[in-house]
Amino acid sequence: MHRNSAGISGQYTRSNNGYNRPDDHAASSRRVQYRHGIVEQWDNPLRTTPGCNEFYHSSDACSSQNLMFRSVNSTQDFNALIKQEVMDGLVSKSGRFGHRYDGRDHGRYASSIKKYTSAAKRPLNRAEQSQLMRLLQNFTATPGWNWRSLTTTLHSFTSAGVFTPNPIDERVKRTQVALLSTLLEAIIFKCNQKAEASYIGAQGVTNLLWAMAKLIDSGQEQKPGLNEAVAALLPHMNAQQDQFNAQGIANLLWATAKLVDNGLKRTPVLNEAVARLLPDVNVQKDNFKPQEIANLLWAMAKMGELIELNVVTSTFESLVYRISNKPQLSQPDISMSLWGVMVYCARLSLASNTNNINVLEKHMNDLFTRLENTFPDNEDDQSILAQAAVWLGRTCTVVPHYPTNISKTQVDFRDLLQSCIPSLRIEEEKSLNSLPPVDLLLPDHKLVIEVQGPFHYVGGDFKTRSGTTLLKIALLQKSGFEVIEIPVNRFLNQDLMKPYIDQIKTRTGFPPQGHGSVSLKRRWPDAAYVTADNGRQPSDHGYLTAEEHSGEQTGKSGRKRKKHNQ
């Protein structure tokens, strides 16, 4: 099945990416609305921490770089930015000062590229990106760069679309890989320095994690270097617990959810990072702006069972109430909020906790009407409208289109099931009630079988279901279908597969045969997904527990344990 079929794709999963600095440096700023969010533009030049890396004066910068300090908004200015003499000056500066060079002029140059795209109100187009990449082949980060330069460079280039994948030009691809690698390696190096040398600050942590999530959002593959950089940055995020303001908290949870949704593995440090941020949502709940609330609702929903339901409940409902009372919401904010409320209701429904669903459904109904009145013309919003209509029992004027994706594992299991029950009628990739297609449908029994790959689970752990997965299951149940989920890591072990076959036989009226009646001798294509925990049943879902949540309210690490919801 298609990965985004029951969720919301990267079109609206965006976030703010700048906020007031903890060091109280004054800076004028302006905001530019992008399709993916609001980018905050800092107009003041880079400055380093007093006494650190101040080896030369900014007047040393070559005259060709004066463009970096004024407004950049025309084609003529872009042509000036991509002159070879600009890069020659940067290379010369880096070579002249060696390890003492703090990267400030490289950061200024990256910022000037972002200023150009901000003035144009769009990211770099393909032609501009190709021209710029010719220049950036010699753009290299060195160990002497300070955090300000690293953060500004990665954040600015990412915001401007420098790393947006180019499917045509192989030279651009190679330069992107090399440029991103040099920046990530410098970040990893800096993260691993002694505490006094690696202090990054709250804004730096937020901007870097936002940029790394945005890289994934723009289509970059989540390669080992990026995963290593995120892993190295998370402890610094945890160390800044009391320094994040409302916008920073929203940005960090959005970025974490985006990275987890794209395969970032669950680790104790990741669990701690999420557990530390959640209490701050309650503390700052009166300070969030509408877009930030929408980002929070999306993020908490997207992380699914990573966050224990009672922890979500303690923060979710007040946020829903606040955003529902905002008369002016953008279409992206409405869409993200509606999807988040649906996932939360799905979790309550699957847990047989219906106490608050009626109140939440009133908010859902209001958001549905508001989104419908925007006449959305993209597939994501149309899918969300259709799903909300099913939940609310309302008529939907749109019929979403869902791509289908039949995996080899799905085909093999269908053939196996058909061989066990020859008379069984099986349909594939069937869309029911305008919902995303199901893997296998037994129409005579209103039974759905979902062959769940790793992207249905947080971090691909085959235990902790994502918000997208939970919503689809709940909607199918609300439509009157029984759902059997089979993680693909069960397919190599006959003992683990037999209960599923027997369950289907019992449900369809065919008595199960004795042990060993199911033949799984074929080679399943998803063998790489088998984990060390493959003996656990799929109902063992890992949570961030209430103890982790409450332990952080005093600033101390809560005792961690896993709760198994049977």
Side-chain angles (χ1 to χ4, degrees):
M1 122 183 162
H2 189 261
R3 177 168 183 168
N4 290 326
S5 60
I8 181 169
S9 74
Q11 180 171 359
Y12 289 143
T13 51
R14 78 285 182 270
S15 178
N16 300 325
N17 58 338
Y19 63 103
N20 293 336
R21 304 176 193 189
D23 59 5
D24 293 326
H25 287 313
S28 61
S29 65
R30 64 185 182 279
R31 288 188 170 190
V32 179
Q33 180 70 47
Y34 273 109
R35 184 179 184 185
H36 291 282
I38 297 174
V39 175
E40 185 127 349
Q41 305 293 328
W42 297 102
D43 290 330
N44 63 312
L46 291 168
R47 64 164 65 91
T48 58
T49 303
C52 297
N53 295 320
E54 293 183 345
F55 300 108
Y56 61 90
H57 300 288
S58 58
S59 59
D60 290 338
C62 63
S63 58
S64 63
Q65 294 174 6
N66 289 337
L67 184 61
M68 303 177 196
F69 303 98
R70 61 182 177 84
S71 176
V72 182
N73 55 20
S74 68
T75 301
Q76 182 178 1
D77 282 341
F78 180 76
N79 289 335
L81 285 172
I82 59 173
K83 287 182 177 180
Q84 185 60 48
E85 65 187 82
V86 176
M87 186 54 58
D88 290 344
L90 294 176
V91 173
S92 173
K93 179 64 62 64
S94 181
R96 183 167 17 134
F97 290 95
H99 70 279
R100 297 177 299 147
Y101 176 58
D102 61 12
R104 68 178 68 180
D105 286 343
H106 284 69
R108 287 169 178 156
Y109 179 74
S111 182
S112 69
I113 299 297
K114 187 176 76 169
K115 285 183 179 180
Y116 167 75
T117 59
S118 298
K121 298 183 180 180
R122 59 165 177 80
L124 295 172
N125 60 39
R126 191 165 293 173
E128 291 168 338
Q129 185 191 56
S130 181
Q131 289 176 290
L132 180 63
M133 283 302 166
R134 293 191 184 95
L135 204 66
L136 295 182
Q137 295 180 67
N138 295 320
F139 194 102
T140 304
T142 58
W145 280 30
N146 60 27
W147 274 123
R148 184 72 186 278
S149 299
L150 284 171
T151 302
T152 300
T153 301
L154 182 63
H155 183 272
S156 297
F157 278 162
T158 304
S159 299
V162 171
F163 295 113
T164 300
N166 188 320
I168 298 175
D169 195 327
E170 287 295 329
R171 178 186 54 79
V172 169
K173 291 181 187 178
R174 289 193 299 270
T175 305
Q176 284 177 328
V177 169
L179 177 59
L180 185 56
S181 294
T182 187
L183 291 172
L184 293 177
E185 287 171 5
I187 290 168
I188 294 167
F189 174 82
K190 199 79 174 174
C191 283
N192 293 331
Q193 299 303 296
K194 293 180 180 179
E196 62 272 14
S198 62
Y199 181 77
I200 179 175
Q203 182 182 344
V205 170
T206 304
N207 285 350
L208 279 180
L209 202 65
W210 178 92
M212 292 174 187
K214 187 66 177 175
L215 286 169
I216 300 298
D217 202 28
S218 64
Q220 281 286 338
E221 295 181 12
Q222 193 152 337
K223 296 181 179 179
L226 181 56
N227 290 335
E228 186 180 352
V230 172
L233 188 62
L234 285 177
H236 293 267
M237 172 177 159
N238 294 340
Q240 303 287 333
Q241 178 188 2
D242 300 325
Q243 302 300 315
F244 300 112
N245 64 9
Q247 185 179 341
I249 293 165
N251 290 350
L252 287 169
L253 280 171
W254 174 87
T256 302
K258 172 61 62 176
L259 290 164
V260 166
D261 188 47
N262 283 273
L264 181 66
K265 299 301 181 185
R266 282 192 63 184
T267 64
V269 176
L270 174 63
N271 290 349
E272 181 185 359
V274 176
R276 281 177 176 270
L277 287 171
L278 289 172
D280 293 336
V281 176
N282 274 332
V283 173
Q284 296 278 356
K285 61 186 178 184
D286 294 327
N287 300 321
F288 292 114
K289 297 179 177 126
Q291 180 185 325
E292 293 159 3
I293 295 175
N295 289 335
L296 287 169
L297 295 176
W298 177 87
M300 287 190 289
K302 198 68 177 177
M303 287 189 278
E305 292 173 329
L306 175 64
I307 308 173
E308 190 180 358
L309 183 56
N310 67 346
V311 177
V312 176
T313 300
S314 68
T315 58
F316 207 94
E317 293 175 12
S318 64
L319 294 177
V320 173
Y321 176 79
R322 280 170 172 74
I323 201 165
S324 295
N325 288 334
K326 300 293 183 182
Q328 299 296 327
L329 290 177
S330 67
Q331 181 174 323
D333 292 341
I334 298 170
S335 182
M336 293 175 70
S337 300
L338 176 57
W339 186 83
V341 173
M342 278 198 293
V343 172
Y344 178 51
C345 287
R347 293 198 64 182
L348 292 174
S349 175
L350 293 172
S352 300
N353 181 355
T354 59
N355 294 336
N356 299 321
I357 284 186
N358 289 339
V359 174
L360 289 165
E361 285 178 345
K362 292 180 181 178
H363 294 298
M364 189 191 303
N365 190 67
D366 173 67
L367 291 167
F368 174 93
T369 300
R370 295 169 77 171
L371 182 60
E372 189 176 43
N373 289 340
T374 66
F375 303 102
D377 58 0
N378 63 78
E379 293 180 0
D380 285 331
D381 286 344
Q382 291 177 356
S383 172
I384 290 169
L385 273 178
Q387 292 173 73
V390 170
W391 190 282
L392 296 168
R394 291 184 54 167
T395 301
C396 187
T397 57
V398 300
V399 179
H401 168 73
Y402 297 108
T404 58
N405 181 20
I406 302 177
S407 69
K408 181 66 164 55
T409 307
Q410 179 179 323
V411 171
D412 286 345
F413 181 73
R414 179 206 62 196
D415 293 344
L416 171 64
L417 189 58
Q418 197 77 78
S419 68
C420 293
I421 314 175
S423 61
L424 191 64
R425 189 155 66 99
I426 305 174
E427 297 181 9
E428 289 185 276
E429 295 298 316
K430 184 81 171 179
S431 180
L432 306 169
N433 298 339
S434 296
L435 294 176
V438 300
D439 292 344
L440 300 176
L441 170 68
L442 311 185
D444 298 329
H445 305 278
K446 295 207 77 172
L447 181 62
V448 168
I449 301 169
E450 289 284 271
V451 180
Q452 309 287 50
F455 58 81
H456 288 277
Y457 304 91
V458 176
D461 68 358
F462 292 106
K463 298 184 292 292
T464 311
R465 292 176 293 182
S466 70
T468 302
T469 302
L470 295 168
L471 177 58
K472 183 177 183 181
I473 294 167
L475 285 168
L476 288 168
Q477 290 183 356
K478 200 171 183 67
S479 300
F481 295 91
E482 181 181 345
V483 183
I484 296 177
E485 301 174 71
I486 309 179
V488 296
N489 69 338
R490 302 297 191 263
F491 280 78
L492 282 182
N493 189 313
Q494 180 171 335
D495 292 335
L496 292 175
M497 275 303 301
K498 185 178 183 299
Y500 295 105
I501 298 295
D502 288 347
Q503 182 183 2
I504 294 168
K505 285 184 174 182
T506 300
R507 177 64 178 76
T508 56
F510 294 87
Q513 300 176 13
H515 183 79
S517 61
V518 178
S519 174
L520 296 177
K521 293 181 179 178
R522 72 188 72 208
R523 177 178 175 84
W524 297 95
D526 293 292
Y529 297 144
V530 176
T531 69
D533 296 331
N534 63 3
R536 302 182 73 177
Q537 294 302 310
S539 59
D540 293 338
H541 303 304
Y543 292 125
L544 287 181
T545 69
E547 286 183 83
E548 288 178 293
H549 172 72
S550 61
E552 294 305 330
Q553 301 208 30
T554 61
K556 299 176 182 178
S557 297
R559 181 172 59 88
K560 296 182 178 63
R561 63 178 177 84
K562 274 192 177 176
K563 175 179 177 181
H564 303 308
N565 182 25
Q566 301 297 335

